[in-house]
Amino acid sequence: MKRYDDIIKALLLLVMGWFFVLQTKAQRPDPVAYMDSVEFTLITCSPHDEVYSLYGHSALGVHDLHQGREEDVAFNWGIFNYQKPFFVLRFVFGLTDYELGLSDYSAFCNYYRHWKSSVTEQTLNLTSEEKLRLNEALKENYQPQNRVYRYNFFYDNCSTRPRDIIERCVDGTVVYDERKDYSPSFREMVHEHNEQYRWMMFGNDMLLGLKADLKTSREQQEFLPANLLYDFDRARIKNNDGSWRPLVKERTVPVSPGIQVVSSGFPLSPTVCAAIMLLVSVVVVAFELRRRRTFKYWDAALMLLFGLAGCLLFVMVFSQHPTTSLNLQLLLVNPLHLFFLPAVLRRRKTRYWTLLPAMVVLFLIGAIFQHYAEGMLILALCLLLRFYSHLKNEK
């Protein structure tokens, strides 16, 4: 009898255990079904008056409707530490590391609200399977060993990263509406965002070479968050079965733009500064021709200015930024000025005054192919005047 009791107890335990397993499975949400109430958005933030934000910003928002808005987060590929040793130098050489950060959505929006920038969200038209795939991809990208990446301003930044991860997680192909009337160069797009910051534009134009003046493709233009927003609004997904659907199903503006005040920088523009130097050069040449003697210290000042700037341009040839390797401004702004400087100061006979006009002429020819920094053509005339003065006074 005891044996039958044991069998009955075992059967009861088995039934209870099986019921517990079924109950646990019933309480555990299906991952795909759970994603029905999760929304992914492309977040686009307009520029504000900070160097790192003049071109805007992009991020990916995740809204879990099960948990409420307090659980919403933003995946942000624009995290960097400017206090790291040699940050500026590493940025110039294209050796800057950025990383993926996870931010509270409300705090993220409040940051841009403080700077009077707008925040626009485009809700992605994804299936539950695609959302799950994107969610897993974001988790994987956020792992400590994966979140750091080598930043490149034009080719791998906070705008291209969310675009690429979205495209990888879609069942099908994202097809964009190509703009036939829009094919700017990298330089032209940069100018659109820093035209009010003349000295910053001057610095950019000094460092950017000939490749920055070539026309860009739609994919290259999306390094700017505003261009990515525009393209996403008009993009469609071609499903694997041949059907179509829009990539974005809704567009909202959680943070409206405020009134921004542009901080005043150096009061004189690069053109005005270059014109002042040209005026000084004209006055110096007039005195030199009258006294039949050249002023070597004015020569030295110009040679030092062009030579030191040339050292920076020369090292940029070895930068990992692909648009700085071929810079025609090196024809005039180069380290050769420093090489001949001791001979000029000692008034020794030197080939510098034979080489200088050739450098200026080649530089002026190069202006046909490359956009030079503001005021550089005026500065070239300063050197041409030095050649003229030495030619006249050494007869």
Side-chain angles (χ1 to χ4, degrees), residues 152-189:
N152 186 290
F153 179 65
F154 288 133
Y155 294 99
D156 195 357
N157 65 6
C158 68
S159 182
T160 63
R161 286 261 159 172
R163 177 200 64 192
D164 293 345
I165 199 170
I166 290 169
E167 290 182 350
R168 288 197 300 268
C169 294
V170 168
D171 283 325
T173 306
V174 179
V175 179
Y176 295 90
D177 185 11
E178 301 289 343
R179 288 195 266 180
K180 296 180 175 58
D181 58 341
Y182 185 73
S183 56
S185 65
F186 281 124
R187 195 188 305 274
E188 289 169 339
M189 288 185 285

Side-chain angles (χ1 to χ4, degrees), residues 24-37:
T24 302
K25 286 185 177 181
Q27 293 176 355
R28 185 185 304 159
D30 176 56
V32 175
Y34 188 88
M35 285 294 159
D36 284 341
S37 297

Side-chain angles (χ1 to χ4, degrees), residues 31-292:
V32 175
Y34 188 88
M35 285 294 159
D36 284 341
S37 297
V38 177
E39 296 289 1
F40 289 85
T41 64
L42 177 68
I43 304 174
T44 305
C45 310
S46 64
H48 62 256
D49 190 27
E50 286 290 317
V51 173
Y52 58 84
S53 189
L54 288 180
Y55 307 96
H57 187 53
S58 294
L60 267 184
V62 182
H63 301 291
D64 191 338
L65 306 183
H66 299 92
Q67 304 296 331
R69 301 293 287 187
E70 66 276 2
E71 298 295 330
D72 294 348
V73 295
F75 284 86
N76 177 10
W77 281 269
I79 305 299
F80 64 92
N81 182 5
Y82 64 87
Q83 294 182 335
K84 283 187 176 182
F86 309 109
F87 177 83
V88 175
L89 187 63
R90 290 177 61 84
F91 186 88
V92 168
F93 280 99
L95 302 174
T96 311
D97 287 332
Y98 276 43
E99 65 178 87
L100 171 63
L102 192 60
S103 306
D104 174 75
Y105 175 79
S106 297
F108 182 90
C109 288
N110 286 335
Y111 173 83
Y112 285 93
R113 185 177 289 109
H114 167 77
W115 286 102
K116 311 301 182 185
S117 295
S118 66
V119 175
T120 303
E121 277 195 284
Q122 294 163 292
T123 303
L124 302 176
N125 187 22
L126 304 178
T127 65
S128 295
E129 290 80 3
E130 290 168 338
K131 292 177 185 178
L132 181 61
R133 193 178 302 121
L134 180 55
N135 189 63
E136 294 303 315
L138 289 171
K139 285 183 185 179
E140 181 66 20
N141 198 178
Y142 190 64
Q143 293 298 315
Q145 67 273 19
N146 299 329
R147 66 179 64 161
V148 177
Y149 70 100
R150 180 55 50 86
Y151 176 86
N152 186 290
F153 179 65
F154 288 133
Y155 294 99
D156 195 357
N157 65 6
C158 68
S159 182
T160 63
R161 286 261 159 172
R163 177 200 64 192
D164 293 345
I165 199 170
I166 290 169
E167 290 182 350
R168 288 197 300 268
C169 294
V170 168
D171 283 325
T173 306
V174 179
V175 179
Y176 295 90
D177 185 11
E178 301 289 343
R179 288 195 266 180
K180 296 180 175 58
D181 58 341
Y182 185 73
S183 56
S185 65
F186 281 124
R187 195 188 305 274
E188 289 169 339
M189 288 185 285
V190 168
H191 282 184
E192 290 175 10
H193 290 264
N194 61 19
E195 59 183 355
Q196 298 184 71
Y197 304 86
R198 300 283 287 277
W199 283 101
M200 181 174 297
M201 187 162 65
F202 173 84
N204 287 336
D205 284 338
M206 282 296 295
L207 297 179
L208 294 176
L210 179 62
K211 294 179 181 179
D213 291 302
L214 302 177
K215 299 302 181 182
T216 56
S217 64
R218 184 269 312 162
E219 186 177 13
Q220 292 172 326
Q221 294 157 14
E222 289 170 354
F223 85 95
L224 285 176
N227 285 343
L228 183 63
L229 180 147
Y230 181 93
D231 290 340
F232 263 41
D233 268 343
R234 292 155 181 79
R236 295 182 298 162
I237 300 173
K238 184 176 183 181
N239 302 313
N240 291 327
D241 61 2
S243 60
W244 294 82
R245 57 189 155 113
L247 175 61
V248 174
K249 65 180 179 180
E250 184 183 16
R251 177 172 171 174
T252 58
V253 183
V255 178
S256 300
I259 299 175
Q260 296 187 11
V261 178
V262 178
S263 59
S264 57
F266 189 69
L268 301 180
S269 69
T271 297
V272 172
C273 291
I276 291 173
M277 289 189 65
L278 180 60
L279 179 61
V280 173
S281 295
V282 170
V283 172
V284 169
V285 169
F287 274 100
E288 289 175 332
L289 293 177
R290 188 171 181 177
R291 297 184 60 180
R292 309 288 297 178

